[in-house]
Amino acid sequence: MNGNTDHFNNLNPPQVNGTTQHRQTPTSSLHDLSQIHGALDAVYSPHSTNDQRQEATAFLEQAKRDPQAPHFGYGLASDRSQPASVRHYGLSLLEEPIKYKWEDLEEQDSSVLRSWVIQLARDLDDNDAAFLRNKIAQLLEEVAKRSWTVEWLDLDTLLVELWQGSLPHKLLVLYVLETLSDDIFNRDDAAAALREQGLSRACVDIYVPAAVLNQHYPLREVEVEVRCGDEGWISRLCVLLDWSLDNHPQKDDRVHSCILRVLACLKAAVTWIMPKALHATRFLDHLCKALSVADVGIQMGTTEVLYAFYKRAQGPFIKEIEYTELFTNMLLPDRVNLLKQVYQYSTVDVRDLDYPKYALCKKFTEVLSSIGEFIEERPSAIPPNGTDLTSFFDLLVEILRSPSLVVSIPVLHAWTRLLRCRAVTGSEAVTHLIPVLLETCSSRLLRYEALPDDADDDTSLFLFEDFDTVPERHAFLGNYRRYCMDIVEVIVRLKPFDAMYHILGQAERLFSNPYDSEAPSAAAYGKKSIPFLRVEAQVTIIEAALKGYLRWLDDEETIDKEREAQCKALESYSERWCRTILTIPMQDPAIKMKIIQTVTMFATKVLLRNSDLGMWVVEYLLSLDTASDNDTSQHVEAAKSLEVQVTNDLGRLAILHADNLLRRYDQIETRVKQILTNSSSDERRKAGCQALLFTIVQRATILDDETRGPRLQTMLQPVKHAWQTMELLSAVSSYESFCSFLGLDQILEFMTKQEFDKTEDWASRELNAEGKAKQAEIMARCDRIPLRLTKTMLAASTEKLREDSHNFKTACLLWTDVLPVLLPSILRLIGYAQAFTDLATWSQLPTEYQRLIRKVLTDRFWQAGISNESKDDFYTRINGSRTSYEGFASTVRGSVRQIRETCYFILYGMTRLQEHFFGIPDLAEPLAQALFTNANGLSAHQLSVLLSMSGALIEECPASLRPQFLPPMMTSLFTMLDNRISADWDSLERQKLEIVASGLLVEEMKTGSSRRRPHASPPPEPTLRTFVLSHPAILEPLILFSTHALRMRDIRSCTIVIAVLRSIIPAFQDSPHAASSSPSETPPSTIVAAPHVREFISTEVLKACINSLHEPYFVDLQRELASLVANILLLYGPTTSTPREILLSLPGMSAEKVDRAFDRIIRQSKGDGKYQRAVVLDLLEGLRGVSIHEQGRMERSQRRERPKVQQRFMEVDPGAQGQGMERAASPDLTGVADMFGGK
């Protein structure tokens, strides 16, 4: 507007449809009221077409830009003869200049706007719709954020004036107070952040009673007087709450609504207001009065207030007695009794579920958990007299035993902390509860997600009610079990001997009779059978107990003779226990596997001093027949899993009991030779047995080096010779020879002969004898490649060895002679296996063959969070289709995948050999070519495995060898990633409409999720940052890929890449600017490409950020994107004009606005990142995408959000994730971020 104020000159605008008419302007469509009515009808009518609705919306949005829109909007909003929808649109015409043009207004214009909004607030009456009242309140709050304490000083006077009016006026004031408090303190609101200091001080002034400020802060300076009256809003809110509670809220909906709004306002305030103010106004008394009202809505609102306070960030008030009393006063006997009454009132029957009560119960237990955590944090603050801790802890146990795991998990988490506090566990109030806690947590370690869908117990029914999808349920139950294990562990540390004897005795009884005296049937075998689930849960209890016992031993600095005797007695008992349970006859291989796992835990963790047990277990495992004598697929798969477990356990035992095993080496070697010559022995077991002998010789300390070296070298000769056979060398001589060796050279002709092309559902048709024979041939030929033996021996050579140990150095020297023989063939196998999966390889074939191979190469995979079945169910279904046409296709692609991924794992193992691998001359180029040339043919799911291994190659490379090894590797990697992933996301966006229309949404989600996964690389050494930034050949594709990733519609990937870019931007500034810029590990002057990179970031990265800010999809990332933009403006603005030119090219952007933003960021921000971000968000306010609730399509409070109790406890604990080359792992961009961590 800038001085053009003619349309703001009159505070009494013309009346629409009244005696005074609005001035007519031929170019304006605002004055044709019928058009506005028609457009609003088209927007809100359910009968409008999309085109009509979009055209009407465009008309209404365009009208907001009319210079006379605010004037006309006030006329519409104040005209009570208009429909509510028209009056609401009038308010939106006022909103436009307030939110987007306020700083460009002359003082007179802003004063007129403010006076209009104030008048609308004063004119409110009982007949106005709630959404109109809320919109007026929103406008009042928007004006306050921009002018309060500057040119508008009497906001509080206005609010008090309105407060003394009708109930609608009180509700309007409550809305203003709530949103103002939230925007200033709890949300990242741009307008509020620009004036945060002044607004926050003003809020404190008007909320806190004057007596509290004068008493506790007598020297506090008041720059501007903004308050009205001495009470303060906390006091007024509590008085209104008390009055409303006394006026029968159940009988008056308006009073009931007022109570809920007061509670919402208190919830927004308690996160920041000083505890002294709450204490002075008897805040807790008022809340307890509300909590005692038998009304779910009021109790829920009160619970939300308590939760907001108890979970507030701990600031300088934490040590104040008033803060402490707000916790401890809830432990008074009458308050504890009230808490118990509310909990019991909110408990529900899952078969007749009262949803509001159940929601209250879940939130209420979080409040009790917070009080419990306070007791653990500050036990000395609890008064010894007057509080009723015994009843409170009894209540926590009662909640813990709730059949709803969602209700009990907050308290379960609190107990994991309470039991670690000596002051708590030493009290009688807790001591008598320990057996109940152990029993409850032990019973809850059952894998409920494995129970059948028709399970009828209360816990399962609650889980089905609380979680819509299997992955959500799995994530939650995984965390629940971890907390239960934690409690078992802590209890064992508290009562080691009593707890261990109890747990082992309980386990022996179960292992002796897992079927409850009923004969097991073949159909009952498997990981979902009730006997197996019971045994599995008991093994989990023992695992937690052993961890607790070992930590107890570590905690005890000195053990007296009595304790030492108790330890020896327990270890003796444990050994007898292990021998007993291992010899129990067991037909179910899955249960047998769990028992073996348990005994191995004892032999490798607790009974290390008793080497006889370890040797006895090794001999038992070597003599164990793991072959399945049952034809059912579940039994066969369980037998295979048992074999894997036996192989792994032999390796663990050999490492820890090598000396004793060496004494029985001849007997062990004899048994191993029998296994190797047995035609029925699995290749995995054969390789494991060879590795067993190798490990014994390598790790035995009683063997001299002169004997050890030649024996180990002899043991590696079979590996070396296997890669030198004419058969293998011929197989890797060409791609055609590779396919011929595997029996895949004529595979499409064979499948056509078997009518694969004429069969729609491959899983429903069984293979004939010829098909089964061909399938067996492919698997047998694949096993003839010595990959498994190589992988197993390589892993055994370095597992659990320190790099500075003598054994590790010996292993490196042994493999130095073998690597040159392996590597050429390994690299060729990778290239051929990747080429096989590339559809371009098959592009010359007839169309019908191309369709066939495309279907063959389509992976079946399980994706967490998306697949509509559990992981176990998925693999059961896959295993059940082995002899079908789909099983044959799986064998074809699975054999090639096995070759490819085993080669990856071998390369991963070679990285541990350090310079003996990375120092091989001219390795990097052929390695990069083998890994990345044909990588475009891999599916996104397969590509993630390649990237995990590539990250290990980058991470493990010694610093001295980086210049020769990393540039070819990383350049090829990021170039491939950029081309591949950008193309995949573009393709996915093009397919979305067709996919949704055809009902294939789940498959599209799996594809999208898989394409997110390749954004990965395990975290390299921090100093790698310097290397990467100093090499333009690596830096260029990395930054280009990161720029493209900013536009990929995936929140997690985009978040991580923003962190990457923010971490490297300071490295390219021309000179360090102010204290706000983070120090760069690499001085800018050492980076040759700095000017070019700086210009690229100032142009392309900045454009990508602005484009993403513009899209509604990225609305949840606007803070992060704005921070990245602010970094660019702060660090590059003083050097180059490019960022300014980019901003000026945006529509509606004036030089004055842009220069004001630069001035604020560079000269006024003083390193305040929140302020800098707010400047950017304010500058781009009119261009930013908005979420649905901001578009006015739904109220913010109506969004269906998952309860925080479920969100909090569904986050996967990073510490629980496995490491290594697990195929099921879900890598992300975190590794790229860590690359530039600068640690």
Side-chain angles (χ1 to χ4, degrees):
M1 295 182 182
N2 292 334
N4 182 14
T5 63
D6 61 330
H7 51 285
F8 280 93
N9 286 336
N10 190 354
L11 289 182
N12 298 304
Q15 298 294 309
V16 182
N17 292 342
T19 57
T20 307
Q21 296 297 320
H22 207 291
R23 290 174 297 178
Q24 298 295 316
T25 304
T27 59
S28 175
S29 59
L30 277 173
H31 312 300
D32 188 348
L33 199 56
S34 62
Q35 283 191 340
I36 292 178
H37 278 277
L40 289 171
D41 288 342
V43 169
Y44 293 113
S45 172
H47 305 293
S48 300
T49 65
N50 283 337
D51 289 342
Q52 289 172 332
R53 190 172 287 109
Q54 289 174 4
E55 184 179 353
T57 301
F59 167 78
L60 295 172
E61 290 298 317
Q62 182 62 35
K64 293 179 182 179
R65 300 183 180 90
D66 191 294
Q68 298 185 36
H71 197 173
F72 190 73
Y74 177 57
L76 290 177
S78 59
D79 186 357
R80 298 187 179 281
S81 66
Q82 296 296 330
S85 60
V86 174
R87 295 181 64 195
H88 188 273
Y89 177 67
L91 294 172
S92 70
L93 294 178
L94 285 173
E95 181 181 31
E96 185 80 7
I98 292 174
K99 290 188 68 172
Y100 305 119
K101 301 177 182 178
W102 187 266
E103 288 193 334
D104 296 326
L105 297 176
E106 297 289 343
E107 183 177 349
Q108 180 182 2
D109 298 341
S110 59
S111 178
V112 169
L113 272 176
R114 183 168 58 250
S115 65
W116 285 349
V117 175
I118 292 172
Q119 191 62 45
L120 288 169
R122 285 176 169 149
D123 292 343
L124 197 67
D125 66 24
D126 290 354
N127 297 321
D128 287 327
F131 66 85
L132 284 177
R133 181 184 69 232
N134 291 343
K135 189 67 176 179
I136 293 171
Q138 179 193 345
L139 293 182
L140 195 61
E141 191 252 354
E142 291 291 346
V143 172
K145 287 187 296 188
R146 290 161 174 82
S147 63
W148 186 33
T149 75
V150 182
E151 61 265 18
W152 186 18
L153 303 181
D154 59 351
L155 168 65
D156 198 36
T157 302
L158 172 67
L159 295 179
V160 172
E161 172 195 329
L162 296 174
W163 186 256
Q164 295 169 350
S166 64
L167 183 59
H169 284 101
K170 282 185 171 63
L171 292 173
L172 179 141
V173 172
L174 290 170
Y175 188 100
V176 172
L177 290 171
E178 178 190 353
T179 53
L180 192 63
S181 183
D182 266 336
D183 284 347
I184 295 173
F185 295 99
N186 303 329
R187 298 191 190 123
D188 200 13
D189 182 85
L194 289 174
R195 304 183 53 244
E196 182 178 19
Q197 185 175 359
L199 291 175
S200 60
R201 288 178 62 89
C203 271
V204 171
D205 280 341
I206 68 172
Y207 264 88
V208 178
V212 174
L213 291 175
N214 294 334
Q215 178 183 354
H216 297 286
Y217 305 98
L219 302 179
R220 184 174 184 269
E221 295 181 2
V222 179
E223 298 177 1
V224 180
E225 186 58 59
V226 295
R227 71 179 298 139
C228 175
D230 293 335
E231 304 98 312
W233 281 106
I234 279 292
S235 179
R236 296 188 187 103
L237 293 173
C238 289
V239 170
L240 179 60
L241 177 63
D242 218 33
W243 177 89
S244 302
L245 291 171
D246 289 337
N247 281 270
H248 306 291
Q250 298 94 331
K251 299 179 181 179
D252 190 330
D253 290 341
R254 299 200 318 160
V255 176
H256 189 272
S257 176
C258 181
I259 292 174
L260 297 183
R261 181 58 72 183
V262 170
L263 291 171
C265 193
L266 286 172
K267 176 187 173 184
V270 296
T271 58
W272 58 268
I273 199 165
M274 60 183 68
K276 293 182 185 297
L278 299 178
H279 186 269
T281 54
R282 295 175 48 246
F283 162 80
L284 202 57
D285 292 341
H286 296 292
L287 285 189
C288 287
K289 182 176 181 178
L291 199 60
S292 66
V293 176
D295 181 282
V296 174
I298 294 175
Q299 288 178 326
M300 185 63 165
T302 309
T303 301
E304 292 276 7
V305 179
L306 288 169
Y307 182 78
F309 177 77
Y310 289 148
K311 285 297 183 182
R312 67 184 283 180
Q314 295 183 350
F317 309 118
I318 185 173
K319 294 185 178 179
E320 293 181 1
I321 188 172
E322 293 84 359
Y323 175 82
T324 301
E325 287 183 355
L326 289 169
F327 283 90
T328 59
N329 284 352
M330 291 301 287
L331 298 173
L332 299 175
D334 59 329
R335 298 279 171 81
V336 174
N337 188 52
L338 173 62
L339 296 176
K340 184 175 182 179
Q341 290 174 2
V342 175
Y343 169 69
Q344 292 176 344
Y345 173 75
S346 66
T347 54
V348 294
D349 181 354
V350 69
R351 289 169 173 78
D352 184 21
L353 203 57
D354 184 328
Y355 288 95
K357 274 192 176 183
Y358 187 43
L360 168 62
C361 190
K362 289 187 282 190
K363 175 57 70 174
F364 189 68
T365 59
E366 287 222 82
V367 172
L368 298 181
S369 172
S370 301
I371 298 173
E373 290 172 2
F374 174 83
I375 296 172
E376 178 269 333
E377 290 171 359
R378 302 187 55 194
S380 60
I382 311 300
N385 300 316
T387 55
D388 189 359
L389 285 177
T390 299
S391 296
F392 180 74
F393 288 138
D394 288 344
L395 176 58
L396 292 188
V397 170
E398 181 181 345
I399 296 171
L400 180 64
R401 303 179 75 176
S402 167
S404 168
L405 301 187
V406 173
V407 167
S408 70
I409 195 170
V411 171
L412 175 67
H413 181 260
W415 276 116
T416 64
R417 298 180 57 177
L418 286 166
L419 291 175
R420 283 184 162 83
C421 178
R422 291 182 181 272
V424 172
T425 55
S427 69
E428 294 182 3
V430 171
T431 303
H432 76 283
L433 297 174
I434 287 180
V436 182
L437 291 170
L438 180 60
E439 176 192 353
T440 303
C441 292
S442 297
S443 66
R444 294 281 171 88
L445 282 168
L446 190 73
R447 276 197 308 122
Y448 288 97
E449 64 268 38
L451 294 176
D453 292 340
D454 58 355
D456 195 45
D457 63 288
D458 287 358
T459 297
S460 295
L461 293 177
F462 270 118
L463 286 170
F464 290 134
E465 184 63 43
D466 287 321
F467 300 99
D468 297 328
T469 67
V470 171
E472 289 176 342
R473 197 155 59 242
H474 282 202
F476 171 82
L477 288 170
N479 283 327
Y480 197 98
R481 282 194 296 273
R482 275 190 285 277
Y483 293 144
C484 287
M485 290 177 65
D486 196 37
I487 287 181
V488 173
E489 176 191 334
V490 175
I491 289 176
V492 172
R493 291 174 70 179
L494 292 172
K495 306 285 185 180
F497 303 111
D498 293 342
M500 285 297 295
Y501 282 118
H502 171 77
I503 290 171
L504 294 181
Q506 187 180 56
E508 184 174 352
R509 289 190 294 274
L510 175 62
F511 295 163
S512 300
N513 185 23
Y515 304 101
D516 285 337
S517 302
E518 295 180 7
S521 62
Y525 294 140
K527 292 185 177 180
K528 286 196 170 185
S529 70
I530 297 300
F532 174 80
L533 292 175
R534 289 199 200 104
V535 170
E536 180 187 49
Q538 192 64 50
V539 171
T540 304
I541 296 169
I542 294 172
E543 181 182 353
L546 287 180
K547 186 182 295 185
Y549 179 71
L550 291 172
R551 290 192 173 178
W552 174 79
L553 289 175
D554 291 339
D555 293 342
E556 296 293 315
E557 296 180 0
T558 59
I559 299 180
D560 57 28
K561 292 183 178 180
E562 181 182 354
R563 285 297 179 94
E564 186 176 359
Q566 289 177 314
C567 289
K568 290 181 178 179
L570 177 59
E571 291 179 7
S572 178
Y573 172 80
S574 299
E575 182 184 355
R576 294 194 304 272
W577 183 87
C578 289
R579 292 176 185 268
T580 299
I581 67 165
L582 201 56
T583 54
I584 295 174
M586 194 65 63
Q587 296 177 345
D588 188 338
I591 294 179
K592 190 70 175 177
M593 180 183 70
K594 284 296 176 183
I595 292 176
I596 290 173
Q597 177 185 335
T598 305
V599 174
T600 303
M601 280 194 294
F602 274 93
T604 56
K605 294 181 178 180
V606 178
L607 302 175
L608 289 175
R609 291 183 296 178
N610 190 328
S611 55
D612 288 342
L613 178 65
M615 183 182 64
W616 183 81
V617 175
V618 168
E619 292 176 343
Y620 172 84
L621 295 180
L622 286 173
S623 64
L624 185 67
D625 183 8
T626 59
S628 173
D629 57 356
N630 191 301
D631 292 335
T632 61
S633 60
Q634 288 184 334
H635 194 280
V636 171
E637 290 305 315
K640 289 183 178 179
S641 298
L642 173 60
E643 193 168 81
V644 173
Q645 181 71 42
V646 167
T647 302
N648 293 338
D649 286 348
L650 284 171
R652 295 189 189 98
L653 291 163
I655 291 174
L656 296 170
H657 298 275
D659 283 345
N660 202 50
L661 292 174
L662 186 65
R663 297 186 179 96
R664 302 287 295 274
Y665 185 85
D666 292 341
Q667 294 93 319
I668 295 174
E669 185 180 35
T670 300
R671 178 54 187 153
V672 167
K673 288 180 178 179
Q674 293 173 356
I675 293 173
L676 295 178
T677 56
N678 189 338
S679 60
S680 64
S681 296
D682 180 82
E683 292 298 322
R684 180 185 287 105
R685 192 175 191 191
K686 290 181 179 180
C689 288
Q690 289 176 270
L692 169 67
L693 298 178
F694 184 92
T695 303
I696 294 172
V697 173
Q698 183 193 32
R699 309 299 172 96
T701 60
I702 59 176
L703 195 65
D704 59 88
D705 291 339
E706 289 74 14
T707 306
R708 188 197 323 273
R711 290 180 68 174
L712 291 177
Q713 195 168 26
T714 302
M715 291 178 175
L716 279 185
Q717 287 306 306
V719 177
K720 184 176 181 181
H721 292 157
W723 289 94
Q724 293 176 315
T725 64
M726 292 304 299
E727 180 186 46
L728 183 70
L729 293 175
S730 174
V732 299
S733 61
S734 67
Y735 174 74
E736 292 74 19
S737 299
F738 168 78
C739 292
S740 176
F741 178 82
L742 292 178
L744 300 176
D745 49 336
Q746 301 294 321
I747 194 64
L748 293 179
E749 290 82 355
F750 176 83
M751 295 178 73
T752 302
K753 178 183 175 183
Q754 294 287 321
E755 298 185 340
F756 275 73
D757 54 330
K758 298 177 182 178
T759 304
E760 185 67 25
D761 183 7
W762 285 2
S764 64
R765 184 168 177 179
E766 285 290 304
L767 291 168
N768 57 21
E770 187 179 4
K772 292 178 180 178
K774 183 65 174 177
Q775 186 181 40
E777 178 195 355
I778 294 172
M779 291 189 291
R781 286 173 174 265
C782 182
D783 285 340
R784 279 156 56 184
I785 303 177
L787 292 172
R788 188 181 302 279
L789 176 62
T790 305
K791 166 189 164 184
T792 306
M793 295 295 284
L794 183 59
S797 301
T798 58
E799 186 179 3
K800 296 188 182 301
L801 285 178
R802 297 194 314 271
E803 293 180 4
D804 59 348
S805 67
H806 179 73
N807 282 342
F808 182 84
K809 294 175 181 177
T810 301
C812 289
L813 293 175
L814 288 171
W815 282 95
T816 300
D817 184 47
V818 182
L819 291 184
V821 177
L822 303 183
L823 270 172
S825 297
I826 292 287
L827 298 186
R828 291 192 187 101
L829 285 172
I830 291 174
Y832 299 153
Q834 292 183 171
F836 186 89
T837 62
D838 191 349
L839 292 176
T841 305
W842 310 87
S843 60
Q844 304 303 318
L845 296 178
T847 304
E848 59 271 19
Y849 277 3
Q850 291 190 46
R851 283 198 297 266
L852 191 60
I853 195 63
R854 184 177 289 109
K855 189 172 181 179
V856 170
L857 295 177
T858 301
D859 259 340
R860 296 180 292 178
F861 63 91
W862 180 84
Q863 185 66 48
I866 296 175
S867 297
N868 56 6
E869 60 186 337
S870 71
K871 191 174 182 180
D872 287 341
D873 288 342
F874 169 77
Y875 283 109
T876 298
R877 178 168 60 83
I878 296 300
N879 293 329
S881 65
R882 286 186 184 277
T883 57
S884 67
Y885 276 25
E886 181 57 48
F888 183 89
S890 181
T891 297
V892 172
R893 62 176 172 265
S895 298
V896 176
R897 182 180 63 242
Q898 178 183 332
I899 291 171
R900 182 182 66 245
E901 294 185 0
T902 307
C903 287
Y904 291 165
F905 197 98
I906 290 171
L907 287 177
Y908 173 77
M910 290 178 180
T911 62
R912 285 223 61 197
L913 303 179
Q914 294 293 300
E915 63 273 6
H916 299 278
F917 169 70
F918 291 100
I920 295 175
D922 303 320
L923 171 63
E925 289 285 356
L927 180 58
Q929 183 178 0
L931 292 176
F932 306 124
T933 299
N934 292 316
N936 283 332
L938 300 175
S939 69
H941 188 71
Q942 297 164 352
L943 188 59
S944 65
V945 184
L946 169 61
L947 295 183
S948 294
M949 188 275 303
S950 301
L953 288 171
I954 295 170
E955 175 186 3
E956 296 295 337
C957 181
S960 61
L961 297 173
R962 284 174 181 167
Q964 72 183 53
F965 185 82
L966 290 187
M969 283 289 299
M970 298 186 73
T971 302
S972 301
L973 169 63
F974 284 111
T975 300
M976 181 273 295
L977 276 180
D978 187 34
N979 295 335
R980 168 62 189 277
I981 297 178
S982 297
D984 276 0
W985 276 105
D986 290 343
S987 172
L988 188 62
E989 290 299 313
R990 289 194 300 270
Q991 294 172 12
K992 273 187 176 178
L993 288 178
E994 299 177 12
I995 290 171
V996 173
S998 62
L1000 298 177
L1001 184 58
V1002 170
E1003 289 304 314
E1004 183 269 340
M1005 289 168 66
K1006 289 172 71 174
T1007 303
S1009 178
S1010 293
R1011 285 170 178 162
R1012 298 176 189 116
R1013 295 179 64 191
H1015 299 60
S1017 179
E1021 295 180 24
T1023 54
L1024 184 57
R1025 178 183 191 273
T1026 305
F1027 181 83
V1028 171
L1029 296 182
S1030 302
H1031 284 72
I1034 302 174
L1035 188 61
E1036 179 181 345
L1038 170 62
I1039 293 185
L1040 189 62
F1041 167 65
S1042 299
T1043 305
H1044 293 160
L1046 285 173
R1047 300 290 296 128
M1048 296 174 186
R1049 294 194 169 201
D1050 177 66
I1051 296 299
R1052 187 161 186 255
S1053 298
C1054 194
T1055 300
I1056 295 173
V1057 88
I1058 288 172
V1060 171
L1061 289 168
R1062 287 192 66 189
S1063 72
I1064 66 176
I1065 280 176
F1068 305 105
Q1069 58 180 320
D1070 188 46
S1071 60
H1073 183 272
S1076 56
S1077 61
S1078 58
S1080 171
E1081 180 183 322
T1082 304
S1085 59
T1086 67
I1087 301 177
V1088 177
H1092 305 290
V1093 175
R1094 188 165 57 240
E1095 287 301 311
F1096 181 86
I1097 292 175
S1098 298
T1099 307
E1100 300 305 323
V1101 174
L1102 183 57
K1103 286 181 180 178
C1105 287
I1106 294 171
N1107 282 331
S1108 292
L1109 273 168
H1110 179 64
E1111 291 189 25
Y1113 178 88
F1114 294 96
V1115 68
D1116 292 330
L1117 270 183
Q1118 288 184 357
R1119 292 174 52 184
E1120 290 77 8
L1121 288 164
S1123 294
L1124 179 55
V1125 172
N1127 272 31
I1128 296 173
L1129 304 187
L1130 173 70
L1131 300 178
Y1132 296 170
T1135 304
T1136 172
S1137 63
T1138 304
R1140 182 177 183 275
E1141 293 168 0
I1142 295 295
L1143 292 174
L1144 285 173
S1145 69
L1146 299 174
M1149 197 67 68
S1150 66
E1152 182 183 359
K1153 288 179 66 174
V1154 172
D1155 291 341
R1156 183 166 59 234
F1158 269 97
D1159 182 70
R1160 285 174 168 174
I1161 290 175
I1162 295 175
R1163 296 178 181 83
Q1164 299 179 24
S1165 66
K1166 299 179 181 179
D1168 186 344
K1170 182 178 180 180
Y1171 180 83
Q1172 295 166 4
R1173 180 172 64 238
V1175 172
V1176 173
L1177 291 174
D1178 182 67
L1179 177 67
L1180 303 177
E1181 181 72 37
L1183 299 172
R1184 289 193 284 140
V1186 294
S1187 58
I1188 291 177
H1189 75 264
E1190 291 177 302
Q1191 294 171 352
R1193 298 178 189 173
M1194 63 169 61
E1195 290 291 331
R1196 183 187 299 269
S1197 60
Q1198 292 177 336
R1199 288 181 297 165
R1200 185 181 184 275
E1201 296 182 350
R1202 184 181 306 283
K1204 293 188 185 301
V1205 62
Q1206 288 177 235
Q1207 287 182 332
R1208 175 185 175 192
F1209 295 111
M1210 280 176 55
E1211 296 175 358
V1212 178
D1213 180 6
Q1217 301 301 302
Q1219 298 178 351
M1221 295 281 288
E1222 294 289 339
R1223 184 169 180 266
S1226 263
D1228 50 47
L1229 271 175
T1230 308
V1232 179
D1234 289 339
M1235 187 183 299
F1236 301 101
K1239 298 178 183 176

